[in-house]
Amino acid sequence: MRSLSSPTAQPSALDAEDFQAFVLSRGTHLYRTACLLTGGDSHLAEDLVQETLGRMFAKWGRRGRIENPAAYAQSVLVNAFIATRRRKSSAELPTPRFEDDPARGRDEELRLTLLAELGRLEARDRAVLVLRYWEDHSVEETARMLGLSVSAVKSRSSRALARLREQLGADFLTFAES
C-alpha cells in the first residue's frame, strides 16, 4: 500500500477515475472562468485549464489534504492566470490578433466591449472582478482564493469598477441602458 504522505506517491487507477469524474464535472466551469480571466482568449484559457488540471492531478492522490477540490482548482486557475500575466513574454503575440466575427446584436457587442475593457485591467483587479461579479463569490471567498485580505478585495473591486466605468464612459452607459 502506498503512503499518501510520500511525495513520490503516484495516484492509483482508482484515483485516476475519481480525477476523471472531477474533470468532467468541473472542467467546463474552469474553462469558462479562464475565458473570462483571459478576456476571451480561448487558446490561453485552454492552456490555463490544462495547467490547472495538471497541478491538480499531481496532488490528487493526496487530496485528503484538500478540503474542497473545486475551490482548490479555482484558486490554482486564478494563480496560474496571475503568474502568466507577470511573465513579460505573455503579452507578446507572434501575429496580430484577429477577432472572430461575432453575430451582430446588442448583447454580443456589450459582452465583447466588457471583455475588452476587462483585458485592460491589472491581472489581480480582473481576477477580483471575475470572481466577485461573474462567478458570484463572496468577498471572503474571493479573498481566500486570491490570498488577499477582505479589505484588499473590497478596495480592489471598488477601484477596478471605477476604472471600468471611466474606460467605458458615458456613451457606453447609454448604450447598455437602451
Side-chain angles (χ1 to χ4, degrees):
M1 182 172 169
R2 70 185 167 92
S3 168
L4 290 178
S5 62
S6 170
T8 60
Q10 295 296 315
S12 69
L14 182 59
D15 288 337
E17 290 173 10
D18 288 345
F19 183 75
Q20 186 175 16
F22 172 78
V23 170
L24 289 173
S25 69
R26 298 299 297 170
T28 303
H29 178 79
L30 290 171
Y31 177 71
R32 185 189 71 205
T33 301
C35 282
L36 291 168
L37 289 170
T38 62
D41 184 341
S42 61
H43 299 292
L44 180 56
E46 289 170 355
D47 290 346
L48 288 172
V49 171
Q50 186 67 34
E51 184 175 342
T52 298
L53 294 175
R55 289 181 187 179
M56 287 290 298
F57 187 72
K59 294 195 184 256
W60 193 256
R62 298 176 277 156
R63 73 180 183 278
R65 297 182 200 165
I66 302 172
E67 189 173 310
N68 184 344
Y72 181 74
Q74 192 85 4
S75 295
V76 170
L77 176 73
V78 171
N79 290 333
F81 165 71
I82 291 171
T84 62
R85 301 307 301 166
R86 284 186 190 133
R87 292 183 207 128
K88 185 176 184 178
S89 64
S90 69
E92 297 174 6
L93 296 174
T95 60
R97 185 171 176 178
F98 298 101
E99 296 294 327
D100 292 336
D101 185 21
R104 295 293 173 221
R106 299 186 72 72
D107 288 340
E108 292 82 9
E109 290 177 37
L110 175 63
R111 180 177 294 268
L112 289 172
T113 302
L114 283 173
L115 285 174
E117 294 305 323
L118 269 176
R120 293 187 180 135
L121 293 175
E122 181 185 326
R124 280 203 186 262
D125 289 345
R126 187 179 332 160
V128 166
L129 290 184
V130 167
L131 291 173
R132 284 283 297 126
Y133 300 106
W134 246 300
E135 294 292 321
D136 201 28
H137 289 285
S138 69
V139 173
E140 293 78 15
E141 290 171 327
T142 303
R144 183 183 44 74
M145 290 172 143
L146 295 174
L148 299 171
S149 68
V150 170
S151 62
V153 169
K154 288 179 180 179
S155 63
R156 276 189 176 273
S157 63
S158 176
R159 284 192 306 252
L161 285 172
R163 270 187 240 122
L164 269 181
R165 288 183 186 109
E166 182 180 305
Q167 289 171 348
L168 295 171
D171 293 339
F172 179 77
L173 294 175
T174 58
F175 169 78
E177 292 171 355
S178 62

